[in-house]
Structure formats: structure tokens, C-alpha cells
Amino acid sequence: MTNQLILLHPDDNVLICVAPIAAGDVLPIGGGTVPAREGITVGHKIARHRLALGDKVIKYGAPIGSMTAAADTGDWVHMHNMKSDYIASHTRVTMTEARA
């Protein structure tokens, strides 16, 4: 079995997908295993443990954003359930429109 996840820093509360994950794959997390609920692509984050609404997302040992919805252990963590605390995400306004 290929190791599909890596921990970048011991303080991180997310793991990073380094090989494709399919729904149903068994993921070794926190000394146990968790079945993946959905497919997750390389480079995306997975909850290392349960994350509640408002929890900081820690990657590289530093906060990178906040949860906008709860995620269980093994859940995909991305823009559908977290937001950056530092930059606006998914804006649909061009720089020209913003200056008008």
C-alpha cells in the first residue's frame, strides 16, 4: 500500500495528500484507520482529527486559515469548508472592475 498522506509539521492538524485517494480507501491517521469518504487529489489537505467551525487550520506549523464548517477525521479540507485568514478567495471581480 502506498502512503497517501504526509505530515509536514508535528503541530499540523491537517495531512497532505501525496498520492490520489479514492472514496473508500483506508487512511492511516492518528494510530488508527479512517475510510476516505470521497476522492481527494494530490496536494489537498485532510483533517488529522475533528476540526470544528472556527478552528484554525494549521499547516507547516502555522495557521493558514479557519474552518467555515466542521470536518471529521479524514475529511477533505479545502475551500468548501475553510477560508484563508490572510487573502480573499475566489473573487470574481477583475482589477479593472474593482477600480471603477
Side-chain angles (χ1 to χ4, degrees):
M1 180 172 129
T2 303
N3 189 5
Q4 296 163 293
L5 302 170
I6 61 169
L7 178 64
L8 297 174
H9 189 279
D11 293 338
D12 290 356
N13 58 12
V14 291
L15 300 160
I16 307 305
C17 180
V18 294
I21 293 172
D25 283 358
V26 177
L27 307 174
I29 300 176
T33 59
V34 176
R37 290 183 235 327
E38 60 191 313
I40 303 167
T41 58
V42 172
H44 286 240
K45 298 170 291 300
I46 295 185
R48 188 174 174 196
H49 54 77
R50 180 162 171 68
L51 299 171
L53 172 68
D55 281 354
K56 294 294 182 189
V57 177
I58 309 296
K59 182 178 174 186
Y60 302 112
I64 63 163
S66 298
M67 296 300 293
T68 58
D72 287 327
T73 303
D75 281 354
W76 179 35
V77 175
H78 197 53
M79 301 315 292
H80 66 286
N81 58 7
M82 72 160 285
K83 67 176 182 73
S84 171
D85 291 338
Y86 308 102
I87 59 171
S89 300
H90 298 287
T91 58
R92 300 290 185 218
V93 178
T94 66
M95 292 304 292
T96 304
E97 291 171 325
R99 289 185 207 133

